[in-house]
Amino acid sequence: MISAVALLIASSTSAHAVPDNFKFELEGYYRNRGYIFSDGLFGSDKVGLYADQDGDARMMVQRLRIQPGINFENRAKFYFQTDVLDNVVWGDNQSIASTALFAGSPTNTGTKGLETDTFKINRAWMEFSLPVGLIRMGRQPSHWGMGLLANHGDGFDDTFGENHYGSTNDRFVFATKPIAIAQTIAGKTPDDIPFFVVIGVDRLAEDPLVQYYGYQCAQSNSDGSSIAEGADNYDARCDPGGDGYHTLTHDYTEDREEGQRNANWWADQDDDVWEMVYAAIYRGEGITLAGSKADLTIGSYFVNRIQDETASNVLIADAYFKFLWRGIYLEAEGLTIQGKTNAIVLPGALNEDESGILDPETGLDQALYKEANIWGYVARAGYKQEAYSAIFETGFASGDDNVADANFTGRPLHPDHNVGLLLYEEILAYVTAATWTTGAEGLWSNGGVYNSRYIYPQLTWRPMNNWEVIGAWLMAWPHKPDGSRILCAPDDDVECSSTNATASSLGWEADLAVKHRFHEHVLFSLEGGYARTTDRLPYESVGLHYSLKDGKPVGNFFTVQSRVAFEF
Amino acid sequence: MTLLSILALTLIGCGDKDGDDTATDGGTGDGGGTGVDISAYINVTDAHQGDIDSCCELGGSGATSDCWDGSSWIVQAIDSTKQVDAALVGNIADFESGDPVADATLSLWFLNDPTVGAPDYSVVGDADGIVASTFKTCTPIAYKTSTDPALDATVDTYEINQIEAYTEGTIDTEFNSVSSTTYAIIPSLLGVSPDGDKGTIAGAAYDCGGAPIKGAQVVVRDPSTGEIPESLVVKYFVDSFPNRNQPYTSEDGLWVAINVPEGTWDVELYVADGDGGHTNIGKTIAYIFPGSIMISNVYTGFGDGKRYPDICLL
């Protein structure tokens, strides 16, 4: 969203009638990143992520990202973005060579062990200016603020770690400067006040592959007898012929194959998922404040997401603030997701009273009804100078101690908002994936800040031009332990089957990075992290290494990672 | 097919309602005679739904209305002539989805005890989960399904008291296999962290008519001391899936006990007696191997989980 605003700034200069003057633009990068998750660096403690791993775990991955564009006089532009060898692991990992020892040709194996496309176009969109603003249309990156909710995942914008995901939407968006328009209408010369209003619409799904019913049907009772009209468990929706007997059998949702769609699969409007996007932002760069130049950005972003068949109506609100003046740096983003839905159908996650319609007006069903109440924030305060900077960061992502109930309160922050190298990025990502498994992949954290609050002070020293040394320390505390991914302690304000944990925190992590840019385009980064985690984590059940301290399990994790990238 | 597949193991049989002959443990939350407090697990006050009064007919000819009382159980008279070897074509299927499990190994213990050591017979299924074997009819047999541990596709799945009805033809039956995904996600939904050195017991509770009982509770205990493992977590299902808020068996009769230490355990089934106490209406045995799941159903009136089809009885 901010990127749309940036283009509006650039394109708001007047356009003149001149012959076609296309300009070809090219952005992107090629990067390699190496990972070492090491074992044995800290005495007798077992160190490393994986219990079946003896010694170091190492791999190299790569990505070539290319974003060409055609720019016609800043009035009309077309871009597309493609990833080549996207996070492809070095080497022949598909046994092209019958004997691995003699492997020669590398394969396109991704970090999940699956073969990936060599070449994939992720985004394609066009932009053009109008007298009253700018329109951007197509499959485009989405980004807002610090990237807690929408994060384009472009470039190398994080102190530690790498972007792997990136928010992309099929979107139509219009951005304008309402104050300038009002002044023009009033016959005044427009001031160049950098206040923007954005309105857009996203189409998120035309036809979900999973068939949603919202209620169950069985043709017979457990003893084999038919379910007939008048019986307690008779539901007229299961008797479409109206002959007085259930003739349908299905669950709340049913998986189906692509080939089971009918020819007009796209025509059904009830299953469409779409959202309206609204944003207003003041983006003042280089403004004068008390005699000094200052940057001030403040804005808010609202999304209203709708799906009729699941009675989903969800409001997402996000506020962003950034201020830099005389080295004083403040930045914050807070978000909340509120609303009601029948769309979150997890196995076994049915409400206790599972009969009937909760709200005839909306169609919310008693069994599936969930109310979203999700919160998150990140705030930074610090002091930035050319030679050094000191920043204190704190953040929060609300958790859910019981995903099976009607309150849906947990959602990790965007995984491309990287915090540290280990605790969120690897350890909790691994724990959530191992416990939710592929049966509930949507609940994985993927490396985002998860069900916790954290502090993350960072110190940066720039000893010479293009060199940075960065140290950071991360500590995190659970929000709502659920007993499976984050274990419960006796004083937790949640209901847990067992409360064997004793620590108040999840653990801590220390990170150190050395970064250098040379030949103007080559970025080098060497990053290392050590994390010590507490008995809040379910080491044994997910297969994480641990040792015992005072009879309680603790984890020790160490990583060294390095990036070499050519940015253009 | 879903978890309800184990309901397919329901055996036939029904008898006259027998009123007031169920055994009680003498009050709320005692140890069923062992002195161990079981009130943390057995505390249901709602009345059960299911027939627990007509089981004595299942004992065959000569059974009386006082055939079991919570410490002595129904004994069925088995017709040994019906215990014969028969050809079996089985299907190893995923416990949750019903999909065939390819290249799975079926191991059989003909003495119904998988703790004795190597299985008496093993066979590897084909890509469609089909196995061919011989099986003794009217005889409880223990089995295990497993796949290559390096692939981590399934967990070792044990079931005891598998009794096939007498037939002169070929036995067509199904063997359950629990995927690693299902094994992990069930504790996740229940808010439980399973210990890798412990195991899980899952089963159904059946009434005298072979239908699931609603309103029953399960406890797992040491057979000799009656002690309850400290790590035990027992949960119940709703609509064939575990639900952390369900306090006792629902209409599907299904239950699961998580974090059961390695060893041999008694599984006891209770219902509220209406007077503030609880009645022990059934019992079975379960063998736990680390990181595995044991399927062991409990039948009202039976103390060993072995309920034979009518055709097997004298």
Side-chain angles (χ1 to χ4, degrees), chain B residues 22-113:
Chain B
T22 53
T24 64
D25 64 1
T28 302
D30 78 5
T34 66
V36 175
D37 182 8
I38 60 173
S39 61
Y41 295 89
I42 307 300
N43 46 38
V44 58
T45 56
D46 294 342
H48 70 275
Q49 291 179 18
D51 171 18
I52 64 169
D53 299 325
S54 64
C55 292
C56 289
E57 287 292 318
L58 301 171
S61 59
T64 71
S65 60
D66 296 319
C67 62
W68 61 283
D69 63 5
S71 57
S72 64
W73 303 96
I74 295 170
V75 176
Q76 293 180 302
I78 313 302
D79 182 352
S80 60
T81 64
K82 303 289 177 57
Q83 295 178 309
V84 298
D85 288 335
L88 176 142
V89 176
N91 174 33
I92 302 177
D94 182 80
F95 188 62
E96 206 277 324
S97 69
D99 295 337
V101 180
D103 304 323
T105 299
L106 174 70
S107 305
L108 301 175
W109 286 268
F110 297 135
L111 295 179
N112 198 31
D113 183 355

Side-chain angles (χ1 to χ4, degrees), chain A residues 469-533:
Chain A
V469 180
I470 306 161
W473 187 75
L474 168 67
M475 188 158 187
W477 293 265
H479 177 229
K480 287 186 176 178
D482 61 8
S484 185
R485 282 142 293 281
I486 299 178
L487 304 185
C488 302
D491 293 337
D492 291 340
D493 188 23
V494 293
E495 286 187 16
C496 276
S497 298
S498 53
T499 55
N500 296 326
T502 56
S504 60
S505 74
L506 293 169
W508 59 266
E509 173 181 339
D511 300 312
L512 184 68
V514 177
K515 300 191 176 196
H516 178 48
R517 178 186 285 268
F518 56 101
H519 304 321
E520 298 185 23
H521 293 283
V522 179
L523 282 69
F524 168 77
S525 178
L526 180 65
E527 304 163 23
Y530 169 70
R532 188 169 178 87
T533 52

